[in-house]
Structures are given as structure tokens and as C-alpha cells.
């Protein structure tokens, strides 16, 4: 099989213009750029509207497909364990005599830095704290001991960053590595589906997959770049109050990162990306060890051991939990049933939106990043066995991430509890009002009647703090002098002067990490600076590897895309992030983030299909499936002009006939399937099959029409359709057995539901007495496993300058 992708190649003949060489897929490139531009302009011009709309998309996906996200993640984890334990685990991602291109340390550093990006810093301290103090199904239970609540907070965090997250990258990287390094296909997302649809990956289905991958990757990297820049800005401001928090500072940060990332991507994986990844991993490791030694070391070691056991004890229950009753809505009748509801609590239900805001957000985010990270991991994994690959992309990263989250998250929980013990809390006192009163009446005693709170009423914390100052007979001037000991007056009551304790729950997410670092005494500023360097390097690795992956996607998996293209895509990332930040700020960035996560629904379905493709590819490579074995006379996608673009015109007439036949079988499928049944099962089955399938198909149509006057008829309609699809799938399974075609009943059932006209045509054309057999059959999807990136392009443009 040759590479039949569509190419545009601009190759200047003059040596002075060799730098201007371009080589790309015009369909993927131009459509991706158009969609990116459209969504980015919308987010910039109408940030509030775009944010609301995309948030609705994300919410709709979460509320309606929680079961799919949760169930699929579990199924993938089980699937990858089966692959690891199977006989196929010794197959190499490359020729049998190939060797790994990078040593274990460099390989792990690159895949880890690419896979987690800056999320370790953003959520390392903050996430366990949110689960500890925020509304969820655990905090809703007032009888739960506080220590158990803290452990549950750590456990949820590990769940979000553990096996269920990394399995997404593992599956994509594995199938791509197998297809690219062993089979010889282009290293691009469309190659994942070659074992199922063959050369059709070079047509519009493959280009569609790559377009979605470019969009998800660019928006994912851009939003992370923009939002993470805000955290860097906050860190710089905390270290030096002369550095303002604002758009100008953030633009400087974005373009500093973009410039470094562009230089890195120009040097390629072996030098720039590899060395920066090694550097940021080592800095992160050093930072983690510093905190382990500076904090309560025994407590953190105890917490690590305890949390690991707790995770593996509860991972099955937690992994399958979908907040079914919480999403159903508030419960009622507790008192009627004699249930205990403590005073001050209206209910002990968890919040209905928690699952969508946390777990589904995470799964959507992991899945939306899988094209980017999976492709990059596949690119650097040539020569490794499947067993080594799975261990390196699941076991090793999970162990390291758990160390990170437990050490930093555990330290954050310790400080939150100790801060509460020292009466630090989240007050709403207006400190500017205090300063003004101190100037107007320096000797005036503090009084709650002076309207000291930012809102009309003081909260509990403010009342307690003010009561203590009143009890001590403190004047406004004395309180003002006390607040001047802090970098900012509003920090009074929330942190100590030495910064060794801070009530983290009172701080913004971007500030929590640096508040934690500042608590380590004289090393506080050093650790903040150290964190900023690590954070920036992690950003650079995300940006440069993202640029490289996008360029590969847009250039049909070219192993070494032209340098000009690498620069262009790196600059597009920076420009998009900058434009969103300037025009819409956080709202525009979170809007595109929500849109990117919503695309996770599409990739969830594609990932399930990719699992089937991976297993089939492993069967072929393991010698358990003959790629040249019997197949149907036509492919399931043949009626949709899915051939490579240079073949569409030559096959236009025959494909058009198939398309018209497909339209006819929307209604005539029962007759077509009945004919097949009479050939492969028994002539006596013709009428029973025809009558039963016709009845179910007609009922499907009739009941949908009846829905106009009878509410609920649609449910019976879909029951009828499932019965119809089941009947078609039974005949397809019998047809496969009759023709000795490999497959699975579940595959038959899914295809019969989704594309029953194609299934009917496929069976009819393959079982006709006049159907050509043997060598005269059409070449099928897995007929040859050989594809070279050096094959001639389908379309080539040369320029002379």
C-alpha cells in the first residue's frame, strides 16, 4: 500500500530560498485554519457569549454522557491490561531488530513533560484542597470524620491523575506506534484506523480525523498557554510586587515562551525538545524532594503509603461511580422515612454538578489531548516492545504523579488545617475602609457599626476577627499599622506575617502553589523562583511538542516537516493565545477550553473504535489473523466516496451507483437482507426475515410519527429499531461464517445499527451467485502492510524562485 495522501509541495530551486520549502496536506491545513480562525474570532469578539455557549456544550456532554465517559475509561483500562498480559506484549513498535532511539530516562522525561504539562503546578496544591473544603458527595455528609474527608480528597485527586487518565495516551500512542514504526504508515491520527478501513484513511474520513486532531491540539495548547501564563504572572507578582498582574505582563510571558518553544521545535526532538524535557523533569523532581524534606517528612511518607493503599482499595468503586443519584436531582422524603438530617442541613445529597465540573472535565481534557500526546509518545517510542511501552506510559508516570500530588497536596491540606487552628480565615473586611478610617480617626476604637465589610453583612470569620480586635481595645491606627506588616493589607487575617501559614482556601487557584512555597521560611522566594523556572520549561515542552505534532498532522505525518512550517504553527499558537487574552481575557480562553473538552465526546467514540483497530492489528502482527483472508465484496464505507482523493474521480460512476443503492436500502433493506438469508441460511427463511424486518422498520417510522399525538411513542420506536438491527446483525454473522470472514458479533450489531443499508448491500453483493471470487475480488483493507513516506505525492506543486 502506497501513501495516497493529498500533498502540496513548494520546493524552491534556488539555494537562497531553500528555507521557504513547504510540504503539507491542503485539505487538513486550510480547513483546520478556517475553523480555528472562526472559533477564535467568535471568542475574541463575543467572549461572554462564546463562553456561555461552549460551557453549555460542555455541560450538555457531561449531563448526557457521563455513563459513556466513565464506562469507556474503565473499559480502556481493562483492555490495556489484557494487552499487557497477552502474548502480543512482546511485539516491537518497529522491526524485530530495532532498538530504542532514546534511553529510558530521556524517553520518560519527554513523554511525562508532554503528557502532564503545567497541570501539576496548577492543581498540585489546589485540587486536594478543593475536594476537602468544596461541595461534593463527601463534604455533604456531616458525619464523615475530618481525617477521612482529607483522605477522600487525596484519593479523588489520584483518581483524576492516575491510571484512568494515562490509559488514553497509552492506547493512542500504542496503535500509532504500531502502525507507523512496524507497518510503515504515516505518523498521523488517521493511521489508527487503517486496520479497519484500509486505504480509506487517505480519503476524507482520514482527513476529518486529522482536522479534528489539529483543532483539539491547537486549542488545548493555546488555552493552557493562556491560562498558565496567568499563574506565572501571579507568581512573579508575589515575588516582586512591582511586576503588575495584567495583560501586558502576560503577553510578554506568552511570547517569551513562544520564542523559546520555536527555537526548540526547530532543533527537533533529539536536541531541543529532549533536553528541555530532561531539564524540566529534573527541576520538578528537585522541587518535589525539597518540599518532602522541608515539610513534615514523616507525615508525607505516611500519607503516601496510606494513599496508595486507599487508591487501590477503592479504585474499582470510584472508577465506576457516575453520581447517578446526584444528577437525578434533590432527594425528598428523608424525614418521612426516619432518616437523620442534622440541624442546619437541608439535605445530605451531593451537588448535582460536581461530576461534570470535575471528573467529566478531566476525562474530556485527557481525551481532547490524546491526539497530541499520543502522537508525540508514538514518535519517540520506536524499538520498544508493547510491554515496555505500556509500563513506561502507565505505571511509571502514575507512580511519579502520585508522589507529586500526595506530597504537594498533602502539604497543602496540612497547612490549611494548621492555619484554621491559628484563627486564620476568609474574612470579607474591606481593608481600604479600615485605612480610610485610620486616617480620618486614628484614635477611634474599632466598631462593627462602622460598615467595615465589603458586603452589607460581615461573614462569620470577619465577625470573629473584629470581635477579637474590639476585645483587645484596638484602634483603627493600630489595625492599620498591623496590616502594613503584610505585602498587601487584605492579607491580614488570612496569612501570617512570616507567610509560614496561609489559609489557602482564601486564595485564588493561581496563588495557592506560591503561597505553599513561601511557607518554607528563608527558602520561600528561592522555591518560588525555582517553581517559575520549572513551570516555564513545562510550558515550553507543551508548546514545542504541540507545534511539532500539529505540523505532522497537517503534513500527513511527515517525519521531519519543513522548518518554515514548524515556525508558522508555533507562531499561530502564540498569536491565538495572545489574541484571546487581549480581546476576551479569561472568558475567551475558558470558552475555547470548554469547546476543546466538548470534542472529547467525539474522541471517546473514536477511541473505542481505535481499541478494535489495535486488537485487529495485534492479531495480524501475531499471526492470528490473515490480512489476505476472505472479505466482503465491498467495504462498509464504499458508498460515501471515501477512497483516496485521486481515486474518487476514476471511481465516481461506480461509487455513485453504490450511493444510490444505499439510499434505496434505507427502505428496501428488509428485502435485501431476506435475499441474503435465503442464500446463507435457508431458502425457507426468506419470508420470515422479510416480514419481521419490514415490520420493525415500519414500526420505527410509524411510531416516530405517532409521537406527535402520543407522548412516549419514540421509546417504542427505538425498541423496534434495535430489534431490526439485531435481526440484520444475526444475518450478517451467519454471512460472515458462510464466507469464512473474520469478525465479531458485537461488531456486526454496531454496524447493523449505524449503517444498516451498507450492511445489507455488503451481504447482498457478496453472496450473489455471479459475485466474483478468489483473485478477482476487490483489494481489501489489510491486503498489504507496507507504506512508505517516501512514496510519490498524489499532488505536487513545484516553484522556482
Amino acid at each position: 500500500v502506497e501513501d495516497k495522501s493529498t500533498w502540496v509541495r513548494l520546493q524552491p530551486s534556488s539555494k537562497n530560498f531553500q528555507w521557504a520549502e513547504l510540504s503539507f496536506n491542503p485539505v487538513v491545513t486550510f480547513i483546520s485554519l478556517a475553523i480555528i480562525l472562526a472559533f477564535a474570532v467568535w471568542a475574541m469578539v463575543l467572549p461572554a457569549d462564546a463562553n456561555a455557549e461552549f460551557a453549555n456544550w460542555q455541560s450538555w456532554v457531561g449531563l448526557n454522557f457521563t455513563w459513556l465517559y466513565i464506562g469507556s475509561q474503565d473499559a480502556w483500562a481493562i483492555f490495556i491490561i489484557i494487552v499487557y498480559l497477552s502474548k502480543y506484549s512482546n511485539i516491537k513498535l518497529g522491526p524485530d531488530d530495532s532498538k530504542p532511539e532514546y534511553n529510558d530516562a530521556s524517553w520518560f522525561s519527554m513523554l511525562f513533560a508532554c503528557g502532564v504539562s503545567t497541570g501539576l503546578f496548577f492543581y498540585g496544591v489546589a485540587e486536594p484542597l478543593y475536594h476537602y473544603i468544596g461541595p461534593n458527595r463527601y463534604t455533604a455528609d456531616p458525619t464523615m470524620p475530618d481525617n477521612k474527608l482529607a483522605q477522600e480528597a487525596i484519593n479523588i485527586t489520584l483518581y483524576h491523575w492516575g491510571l484512568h487518565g494515562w490509559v488514553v495516551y497509552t492506547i493512542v500512542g500504542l496503535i500509532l506506534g504500531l502502525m507507523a514504526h512496524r507497518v510503515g504508515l504515516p505518523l498521523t491520527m488517521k493511521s489508527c484506523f487503517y486496520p479497519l478501513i484500509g486505504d480509506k484513511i487517505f480519503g476524507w474520513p482520514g482527513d476529518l480525523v486529522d482536522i479534528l486532531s489539529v483543532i483539539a491540539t491547537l486549542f488545548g495548547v493555546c488555552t493552557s498557554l493562556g491560562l498558565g501564563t496567568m499563574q506565572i504572572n501571579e507568581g512573579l507578582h508575589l515575588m516582586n510586587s512591582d511586576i503588575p498582574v495584567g495583560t501586558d505582563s502576560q503577553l510578554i510571558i506568552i511570547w517569551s515562551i513562544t520564542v523559546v518553544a520555536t527555537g526548540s521545535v526547530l532543533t527537533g526532538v533529539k536536541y531541543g525538545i529532549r533536553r528541555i524535557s530532561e531539564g524540566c523533569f529534573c527541576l520538578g523532581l528537585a522541587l518535589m524532594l525539597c518540599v518532602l524534606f522541608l515539610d513534615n517528612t514523616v507525615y508525607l511518607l505516611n500519607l503516601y503509603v496510606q494513599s496508595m493503599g486507599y487508591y487501590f482499595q477503592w479504585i474499582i468503586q470510584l472508577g465506576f461511580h457516575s453520581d447517578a443519584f446526584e444528577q437525578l436531582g434533590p432527594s425528598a422524603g428523608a424525614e418521612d422515612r426516619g432518616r437523620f438530617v442534622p440541624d442546619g442541613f437541608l439535605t445530605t445529597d451531593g451537588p448535582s454538578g460536581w461530576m461534570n465540573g470535575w471528573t467529566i472535565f478531566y476525562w474530556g481534557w485527557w481525551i481532547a489531548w490524546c491526539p497530541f500526546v499520543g502522537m508525540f509518545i508514538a514518535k519517540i517510542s520506536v524499538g520498544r516492545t508493547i510491554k515496555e511501552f505500556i509500563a513506561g506510559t502507565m505505571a511509571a508516570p502514575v507512580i511519579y504523579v502520585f508522589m507529586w500530588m500526595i506530597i504537594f497536596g498533602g502539604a497543602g491540606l496540612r497547612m490549611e488545617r494548621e492555619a484554621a487552628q491559628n484563627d486564620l480565615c476568609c474574612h470579607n473586611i474591606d481593608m481600604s475602609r479600615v485605612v480610610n478610617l485610620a486616617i480620618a480617626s486614628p484614635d477611634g476604637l474599632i466598631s462593627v457599626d462602622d460598615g467595615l465589610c465589603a458586603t452589607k453583612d460581615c461573614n462569620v470569620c470577619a465577625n470573629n476577627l473584629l470581635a477579637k480586635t474590639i476585645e483587645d481595645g484596638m484602634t483603627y491606627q493600630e489595625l492599620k499599622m498591623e496590616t502594613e506588616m503584610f505585602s498587601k493589607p487584605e492579607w491580614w487575617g488570612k496569612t501570617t506575617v512570616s507567610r509560614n501559614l496561609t489559609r489557602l482556601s482564601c486564595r485564588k487557584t493561581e496563588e495557592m502553589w506560591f503561597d505553599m512555597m513561601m511557607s518554607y521560611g528563608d527558602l520561600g522566594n528561592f522555591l518560588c523562583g525555582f517553581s517559575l523556572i520549572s513551570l516555564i520549561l513545562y510550558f515550553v515542552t507543551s508548546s514545542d511538542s504541540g507545534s511539532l505534532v500539529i505540523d505532522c498532522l497537517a503534513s500527513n505525518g511527515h517525519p521531519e516537516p519543513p522548518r518554515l512550517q514548524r515556525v508558522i504553527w508555533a507562531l499561530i499558537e502564540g498569536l491565538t493565545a495572545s489574541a484571546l487574552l487581549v480581546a476576551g481575557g479569561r472568558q475567551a480562553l475558558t470558552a475555547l477550553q470548554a469547546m476543546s473538552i466538548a470534542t472529547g465526546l467525539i474522541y471517546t467514540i473514536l477511541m473505542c473504535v481505535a481499541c478494535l483497530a489495535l486488537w485487529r492489528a495485534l492479531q495480524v502482527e501475531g499471526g492470528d489473523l490473515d490480512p489476505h483472508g476472505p472479505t466482503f465484496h465491498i467495504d462498509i464505507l464504499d458508498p460515501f466516496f471515501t477512497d483516496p482523493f485521486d481515486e474518487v474521480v476514476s471511481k465516481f460512476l461506480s461509487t455513485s451507483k453504490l450511493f444510490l443503492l444505499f439510499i434505496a436500502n434505507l427502505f428496501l433493506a428488509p428485502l435485501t437482507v431476506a435475499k441474503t438469508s435465503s442464500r446463507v441460511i435457508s431458502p425457507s427463511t426468506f419470508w420470515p426475515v422479510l416480514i419481521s424486518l419490514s415490520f420493525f422498520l415500519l414500526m420505527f417510522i410509524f411510531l416516530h410519527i405517532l409521537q406527535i399525538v402520543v407522548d412516549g411513542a419514540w421509546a417504542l420506536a427505538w425498541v423496534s429499531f434495535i430489534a431490526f438491527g439485531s435481526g440484520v446483525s444475526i444475518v450478517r454473522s451467519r454471512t460472515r461464517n458462510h464466507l469464512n470472514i473474520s469478525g465479531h458479533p458485537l461488531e456486526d450489531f454496531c454496524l447493523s445499527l449505524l449503517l444498516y443499508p451498507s450492511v445489507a448491500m455488503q451481504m447482498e453483493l457478496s453472496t450473489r451467485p455471479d459475485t466474483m471470487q478468489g483473485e478477482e475480488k476487490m483489494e481489501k483493507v489489510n491486503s498489504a502492510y507496507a507504506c512508505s513516506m517516501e512514496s510519490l505525492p498524489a499532488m505536487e506543486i513545484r516553484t522556482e524562485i
Side-chain angles (χ1 to χ4, degrees):
V1 179
E2 63 177 328
D3 179 13
K4 299 178 181 179
S5 302
T6 304
W7 287 93
V8 168
R9 293 187 174 179
L10 304 175
Q11 297 176 325
S13 57
S14 172
K15 292 183 177 179
N16 296 328
F17 293 94
Q18 289 297 314
W19 57 269
E21 179 186 354
L22 295 174
S23 181
F24 59 92
N25 182 319
V27 178
V28 174
T29 300
F30 294 133
I31 294 179
S32 298
L33 286 175
I35 295 174
I36 289 167
L37 180 63
F39 279 111
V41 168
W42 184 12
M44 288 186 290
V45 176
L46 299 169
D49 293 346
N51 191 27
E53 183 63 29
F54 292 146
N56 288 336
W57 291 9
Q58 182 183 344
S59 177
W60 179 84
V61 169
L63 291 175
N64 291 282
F65 294 98
T66 296
W67 58 273
L68 179 61
Y69 273 80
I70 298 296
S72 60
Q73 299 283 147
D74 293 317
W76 299 336
I78 294 171
F79 172 74
I80 211 67
I81 291 172
I82 292 173
V83 172
Y84 182 84
L85 297 175
S86 72
K87 65 178 182 180
Y88 305 126
S89 61
N90 292 319
I91 295 174
K92 278 194 173 184
L93 302 182
D96 291 334
D97 59 349
S98 60
K99 302 294 182 182
E101 190 174 1
Y102 304 99
N103 62 57
D104 291 345
S106 296
W107 179 63
F108 177 74
S109 298
M110 286 189 286
L111 73 87
F112 184 80
C114 175
V116 297
S117 184
T118 57
L120 292 177
F121 295 87
F122 197 78
Y123 290 109
V125 174
E127 184 176 350
L129 187 65
Y130 281 132
H131 298 320
Y132 180 62
I133 64 171
N136 55 59
R137 62 182 179 273
Y138 301 108
T139 56
D141 180 4
T143 64
M144 178 173 286
D146 200 67
N147 289 340
K148 182 171 176 56
L149 182 60
Q151 185 60 68
E152 294 290 356
I154 291 289
N155 200 43
I156 297 172
T157 304
L158 300 186
Y159 169 51
H160 289 157
W161 289 85
L163 296 171
H164 288 76
W166 283 90
V167 71
V168 181
Y169 298 162
T170 301
I171 291 175
V172 174
L174 190 55
I175 180 66
L176 277 177
L178 197 64
M179 292 295 99
H181 302 314
R182 191 171 182 89
V183 177
L185 286 166
L187 184 59
T188 181
M189 281 298 293
K190 63 187 178 186
S191 296
C192 291
F193 306 99
Y194 182 80
L196 299 178
I197 63 174
D199 283 353
K200 287 176 173 48
I201 64 168
F202 301 117
W204 67 259
D207 285 346
L208 179 61
V209 170
D210 283 348
I211 289 168
L212 291 172
S213 301
V214 169
I215 294 169
T217 300
L218 186 76
F219 283 162
V221 173
C222 285
T223 52
S224 292
L225 182 61
L227 294 172
T229 294
M230 295 179 182
Q231 185 180 23
I232 295 175
N233 194 185
E234 290 285 356
L236 291 171
H237 178 69
L238 287 174
M239 292 180 63
N240 185 351
S241 58
D242 293 333
I243 299 175
V245 175
T247 304
D248 292 340
S249 300
Q250 290 159 8
L251 285 176
I252 293 173
I253 295 170
I254 284 178
W255 283 102
S256 299
I257 292 172
T258 300
V259 169
V260 177
T262 303
S264 173
V265 78
L266 283 174
T267 58
V269 176
K270 291 184 178 180
Y271 300 102
I273 295 176
R274 175 184 180 181
R275 299 309 178 192
I276 292 177
S277 298
E278 291 172 346
C280 69
F281 178 79
C282 291
L283 289 177
L285 179 60
L287 186 63
M288 182 173 63
L289 292 176
C290 284
V291 172
L292 175 64
F293 298 144
L294 290 171
D295 208 278
N296 189 329
T297 306
V298 174
Y299 152 71
L300 292 177
L301 292 175
N302 284 338
L303 183 61
Y304 185 81
V305 174
Q306 176 176 299
S307 298
M308 292 295 287
Y310 203 85
Y311 173 81
F312 286 109
Q313 178 185 0
W314 293 104
I315 185 57
I316 294 179
Q317 187 275 334
L318 186 60
F320 283 88
H321 187 88
S322 59
D323 264 5
F325 291 106
E326 284 80 1
Q327 292 190 5
L328 189 63
S331 62
E335 294 182 357
D336 298 340
R337 296 187 297 273
R339 299 289 296 167
F340 170 71
V341 179
D343 293 338
F345 285 81
L346 297 176
T347 179
T348 55
D349 298 340
S352 60
W354 184 89
M355 180 64 68
N356 194 41
W358 280 102
T359 303
I360 301 305
F361 167 85
Y362 264 114
W363 293 167
W365 195 237
W366 282 98
I367 294 169
W369 273 55
C370 74
F372 157 39
V373 182
M375 276 187 61
F376 182 77
I377 295 176
K379 187 177 182 68
I380 63 175
S381 299
V382 61
R384 297 186 180 274
T385 65
I386 289 175
K387 182 172 287 187
E388 291 174 336
F389 182 89
I390 294 174
T393 56
M394 283 194 69
V398 166
I399 292 172
Y400 184 81
V401 167
F402 282 7
M403 291 173 59
W404 185 283
M405 289 297 177
I406 291 171
I407 289 173
F408 290 106
L413 291 176
R414 174 201 56 77
M415 187 159 80
E416 174 71 10
R417 289 158 65 122
E418 291 182 3
Q421 290 172 359
N422 285 269
D423 297 326
L424 299 175
C425 56
C426 306
H427 63 76
N428 63 338
I429 299 173
D430 185 355
M431 301 310 296
S432 62
R433 171 72 173 160
V434 172
V435 172
N436 291 335
L437 287 172
I439 296 172
S441 179
D443 296 327
L445 294 176
I446 296 173
S447 172
V448 294
D449 298 327
D450 290 338
L452 298 179
C453 293
T455 57
K456 184 178 180 180
D457 298 319
C458 294
N459 60 20
V460 175
C461 170
N463 283 326
N464 291 337
L465 290 175
L466 291 175
K468 185 176 181 182
T469 60
I470 293 171
E471 182 182 340
D472 294 339
M474 186 176 290
T475 65
Y476 284 113
Q477 180 62 27
E478 290 172 335
L479 180 57
K480 176 177 176 292
M481 292 175 62
E482 194 170 303
T483 61
E484 288 175 348
M485 300 172 67
F486 297 87
S487 298
K488 294 182 179 181
E490 59 268 22
W491 288 4
W492 178 83
K494 300 176 183 177
T495 185
T496 58
V497 175
S498 64
R499 299 298 305 279
N500 67 311
L501 283 178
T502 298
R503 193 68 183 266
L504 295 175
S505 54
C506 306
R507 308 286 284 161
K508 294 188 294 186
T509 304
E510 295 89 346
E511 296 173 331
M512 289 183 186
W513 177 274
F514 298 103
D515 288 328
M516 190 74 240
M517 296 301 105
M518 292 299 293
S519 70
Y520 296 114
D522 296 336
L523 286 179
N525 282 318
F526 170 76
L527 291 177
C528 282
F530 205 73
S531 298
L532 283 171
I533 295 172
S534 302
L535 187 59
I536 291 169
L537 287 179
Y538 269 105
F539 264 120
V540 170
T541 55
S542 292
S543 182
D544 57 16
S545 53
S547 301
L548 183 63
V549 165
I550 291 173
D551 199 4
C552 288
L553 285 166
S555 57
N556 295 316
H558 197 302
E560 291 294 334
R563 290 172 176 257
L564 179 59
Q565 286 177 207
R566 304 185 201 183
V567 174
I568 290 172
W569 283 110
L571 294 179
I572 287 174
E573 285 180 13
L575 285 170
T576 304
S578 300
L580 291 170
L581 192 64
V582 171
R586 179 179 289 274
Q587 275 193 326
L589 290 167
T590 52
L592 286 194
Q593 185 183 46
M595 196 281 289
S596 180
I597 293 170
T599 62
L601 175 63
I602 300 173
Y603 274 107
T604 299
I605 298 170
L606 292 178
M607 282 281 295
C608 293
V609 178
C611 287
L612 175 61
L614 173 58
W615 189 254
R616 186 160 295 178
L618 291 174
Q619 287 180 309
V620 171
E621 295 301 328
D624 295 332
L625 181 64
D626 182 7
H628 306 284
T631 57
F632 286 108
H633 190 65
I634 65 167
D635 284 322
I636 206 78
L637 296 178
D638 275 347
F640 306 111
F641 302 91
T642 52
D643 292 302
F645 288 107
D646 56 345
E647 297 179 10
V648 169
V649 176
S650 62
K651 296 181 178 180
F652 184 79
L653 185 59
S654 60
T655 306
S656 298
K657 292 179 179 179
L658 288 176
F659 180 73
L660 293 175
L661 195 58
F662 177 90
I663 299 298
N665 272 277
L666 287 171
F667 307 98
L668 301 178
L671 175 61
T672 307
V673 175
K675 290 180 180 178
T676 303
S677 176
S678 67
R679 296 179 192 138
V680 301
I681 302 177
S682 169
S684 62
T685 62
F686 176 83
W687 286 108
V689 170
L690 176 61
I691 293 172
S692 59
L693 292 183
S694 298
F695 171 78
F696 288 127
L697 187 59
L698 289 173
M699 288 299 293
F700 173 69
I701 299 171
F702 171 73
L703 289 169
H704 268 105
I705 298 173
L706 190 63
Q707 173 67 24
I708 299 173
V709 293
V710 178
D711 187 35
W714 65 269
L716 294 175
W718 283 104
V719 171
S720 297
F721 185 74
I722 292 173
F724 169 78
S726 300
V728 175
S729 68
I730 291 172
V731 177
R732 189 178 195 268
S733 296
R734 296 294 293 270
T735 303
R736 281 193 304 99
N737 293 335
H738 179 76
L739 299 175
N740 293 320
I741 298 173
S742 62
H744 193 276
L746 182 59
E747 179 185 346
D748 297 327
F749 178 70
C750 293
L751 290 175
S752 298
L753 285 179
L754 297 174
L755 291 170
Y756 72 87
S758 286
V759 170
M761 294 163 52
Q762 196 180 52
M763 294 188 295
E764 160 71 6
L765 295 176
S766 300
T767 58
R768 280 182 181 175
D770 58 344
T771 297
M772 303 302 293
Q773 302 292 330
E775 295 92 18
E776 300 178 37
K777 275 182 140 185
M778 296 173 63
E779 183 180 352
K780 303 317 294 173
V781 298
N782 294 321
S783 59
Y785 263 175
C787 175
S788 171
M789 284 303 300
E790 276 127 22
S791 57
L792 292 175
M795 176 169 63
E796 184 169 321
I797 299 176
R798 293 182 178 271
T799 62
E800 293 189 4
I801 301 178

